[in-house]
Amino acid sequence: MLLLASLPAAAQEEPWDFAKLMAQLAQVQTSRARYSEVRRVAMLQKPLHLSGTLLYARPARLEKHQTLPFEEVMSVDGDWLTVEREGKMRRIALHSSPLIAALVESLRATLAGDREELERLYSVRVEGTRRRWTLALTRGRSRSRAS
């Protein structure tokens, strides 16, 4: 965020594309951000509002510290997911859960600025400016197609 704050306003509003975004993300060694999430669950009458912090540390560490409405820590280091909640810890090998592994690899590739991996897995689209961008990842890209 300090890098963005030091840029002139005109540079922050320049058109943004996938290559520029990935180049910027590839420079990040660690990052921490607050998040808020809304989950809609069929069994609940109201949406569930979650919040906390996310941490990324190159090359492969991800942590989600949820503080509301309950405390939970999910961390991925290497090929393992660890979930801590209510004093209990559970470890899951990513290779034993392909859906979780796919999500983790998508997050890692995005945060690492790994353009080739994201293009291999997804059809990608970036819209917006350097200050305010949206990255859309859509399944459907052929995995046999070379980058």
Side-chain angles (χ1 to χ4, degrees):
M1 289 309 214
L2 295 175
L3 173 67
L4 293 178
S6 67
L7 295 172
Q12 292 179 13
E13 295 305 321
E14 72 184 43
W16 206 232
D17 64 24
F18 185 57
K20 290 177 186 176
L21 174 60
M22 291 295 102
Q24 182 180 13
L25 290 173
Q27 301 304 311
V28 175
Q29 295 301 309
T30 62
S31 65
R32 183 180 305 268
R34 290 187 188 145
Y35 77 91
S36 61
E37 177 183 350
V38 177
R39 288 188 193 164
R40 289 174 173 73
V41 181
M43 296 183 339
L44 300 177
Q45 291 180 350
K46 294 185 198 177
L48 184 60
H49 294 267
L50 309 167
S51 64
T53 59
L54 298 170
L55 168 74
Y56 167 70
R58 191 173 293 279
R61 183 148 181 82
L62 299 171
E63 288 183 13
K64 178 182 176 185
H65 293 260
Q66 182 177 301
T67 54
L68 293 173
F70 53 86
E71 291 193 25
E72 178 179 76
V73 177
M74 296 176 78
S75 60
V76 179
D77 199 3
D79 295 327
W80 290 92
L81 167 68
T82 303
V83 180
E84 298 175 55
R85 185 173 175 189
E86 298 177 353
K88 298 176 184 171
M89 185 184 306
R90 185 171 156 207
R91 284 191 81 193
I92 302 165
L94 292 178
H95 71 269
S96 70
S97 183
L99 290 176
I100 293 173
L103 176 61
V104 166
E105 291 312 313
S106 296
L107 287 169
R108 283 180 176 163
T110 300
L111 294 169
D114 188 342
R115 179 180 181 173
E116 292 78 21
E117 181 68 2
L118 287 175
E119 288 180 321
R120 183 180 75 78
L121 296 171
Y122 300 99
S123 175
V124 297
R125 187 180 78 250
V126 172
E127 295 176 351
T129 64
R130 183 177 191 146
R131 279 181 80 174
R132 191 173 184 97
W133 50 266
T134 302
L135 172 63
L137 303 174
T138 307
R139 280 285 197 193
R141 169 146 320 226
S142 169
R143 290 185 182 209
S144 62
R145 184 176 171 181
S147 300

